Amino acid sequence: MSDKTDIGIPLCSIKAFVPIVETLKGKDENGKEKKGFTELLRENTKGKAFPVTKFSHWQKVKGDPLIKDSLSNKVIMNIRDRKGGMKMEIPQFTDYYDKIN
């Protein structure tokens, strides 16, 4: 993270790496609705701050997505819940395997 303030300009620029998962609206581990990053930032600064985001890099999420309650499994389940209409379980290979031989 870095902080830059220019002389004579009432603007503060803060650069940081923020995992995209942390910026999205959704539900927390207890099923409670959580606010997104933009909403929280504007709410806590009375609308004076705004985020500008730019893609930086990919990084693997730790854990095995097939193991229930691992970090990567929680990320996948949150995405499936947010998109709606998806089963709340990891699809099996046989769900997609072409059975015509």
Side-chain angles (χ1 to χ4, degrees):
M1 184 170 105
S2 67
D3 180 1
K4 177 185 163 212
T5 304
D6 292 328
I7 298 172
I9 301 173
L11 183 68
C12 179
S13 175
I14 300 172
K15 293 183 180 182
F17 293 119
V18 180
I20 189 68
V21 169
E22 301 297 325
T23 66
L24 303 172
K25 287 183 179 182
K27 294 182 181 174
D28 64 13
E29 305 83 44
N30 302 321
K32 184 180 174 188
E33 277 298 315
K34 69 174 191 164
K35 297 177 181 179
F37 176 71
T38 302
E39 188 177 358
L40 285 171
L41 181 66
R42 292 194 177 182
E43 184 179 281
N44 288 304
T45 61
K46 297 182 175 82
K48 293 180 182 178
F50 58 92
V52 176
T53 58
K54 178 175 86 171
F55 177 77
S56 172
H57 63 278
W58 291 101
Q59 184 175 348
K60 278 182 147 182
V61 175
K62 293 184 175 151
D64 184 345
L66 300 177
I67 296 175
K68 188 176 172 100
D69 293 330
S70 69
L71 180 58
S72 57
N73 183 272
K74 287 178 184 179
V75 169
I76 290 170
M77 291 301 122
N78 285 337
I79 291 169
R80 294 179 78 79
D81 184 48
R82 190 178 71 246
K83 289 187 178 251
M86 299 181 87
K87 293 189 284 183
M88 292 308 292
E89 58 189 43
I90 301 289
Q92 300 296 316
F93 173 72
T94 54
D95 293 343
Y96 299 102
Y97 178 70
D98 186 6
K99 296 179 181 179
I100 300 173
N101 286 331

